[in-house]
Amino acid sequence: MPDLAITVLGCCGSYPGPGQACSGYLIRGGGVNVVMDLGPGALANLQRHIGLADIDAVVLSHRHADHWIDLTGLETAWKYALGLEGLNVYGTAENRAAAAAVIGELDPVIDWHEITDAGHARIGGLDLDFSATDHYVDTLAVRVGSSADGVAAAYSADTGPGWSFTELGPAIDLALCEATMLADGESEGLLHLSARQAGAMAKAAGVGRLVLTHLQPGIDRTASQSEGAAAYGSPVQVAHEHAVFHL
Ligand SMILES: [Zn+2]
């Protein structure tokens, strides 16, 4: 039976720790391979799982470099090594401007599809819905659903506590939620989440499983896991490179 599989390509918040990578997730399902975020190091890790010509689409949550800068390497690979055009990239207008500032002319290698709050995209058999989060720049959380399998995953992207998974609708089987710091790092106006806040948010939204991600390098992962679980009311998992979650 087909399923939706999410492979973690990188899960460091803000900058990569030693031997690690920043945000990136490979979603396989609905007959397509979708890469969600492509931070530093994620492109290298992606190639342990699929070839670069086998990407059907890239979905970028926001213009902060730790979430997309490896698109530059992917564009170079498609253009010069693979001789390919028409890489489908879904991202905000701000992210498009940032990408164009680094890469130059995006066409014809990159086919940019602008995404916005409450927008929708269909990629193969996957339905993607977007919701603007509580972050410093235009940032979109993503719900990925496979109607054939009746399952849905959600990704918080980067957000402060002013957003919730409830914005992405009910019946989220698995949530990847940013948990940049521990509760002792919470402060007014900080637009990231602690593990405690991630757990509380996921519990309030009734998500089926919680995976903490976007952890700041050096953070005590065991403490994140226990803090998140205490707030969630059930065990949680902490993302690590190459972990695969099946729905
Ligand atoms: Zn950010």
Side-chain angles (χ1 to χ4, degrees), residues 225-245:
Q225 188 166 21
S226 56
E227 190 177 291
Y232 184 53
S234 297
V236 304
Q237 290 169 283
V238 179
H240 60 86
E241 277 84 2
H242 307 294
V244 185
F245 300 97

Side-chain angles (χ1 to χ4, degrees), residues 142-197:
V142 187
R143 178 190 177 102
V144 182
S146 168
S147 49
D149 301 314
V151 295
Y155 170 50
S156 69
D158 283 3
T159 188
W163 177 86
S164 168
F165 283 109
T166 56
E167 300 293 327
L168 289 172
I172 294 170
D173 299 290
L174 182 148
L176 288 163
C177 189
E178 80 125 281
T180 305
M181 66 277 181
L182 293 169
D184 63 8
E186 292 173 18
S187 70
E188 188 73 28
L190 179 59
L191 301 184
H192 284 290
L193 298 175
S194 68
R196 184 195 70 81
Q197 289 170 318

Side-chain angles (χ1 to χ4, degrees), residues 2-5 27-34 56 122-128 144-149 151:
D3 66 358
L4 198 62
I27 301 168
R28 287 182 277 196
V32 289
N33 295 316
V34 175
D56 294 291
R122 180 147 177 108
I123 303 172
L126 300 180
D127 284 296
L128 280 69
V144 182
S146 168
S147 49
D149 301 314
V151 295

Side-chain angles (χ1 to χ4, degrees), residues 62 64 66-67 135 137 139 158 192 214:
H62 67 302
H64 283 158
D66 61 313
H67 288 257
H135 198 46
V137 300
T139 303
D158 283 3
H192 284 290
H214 197 272

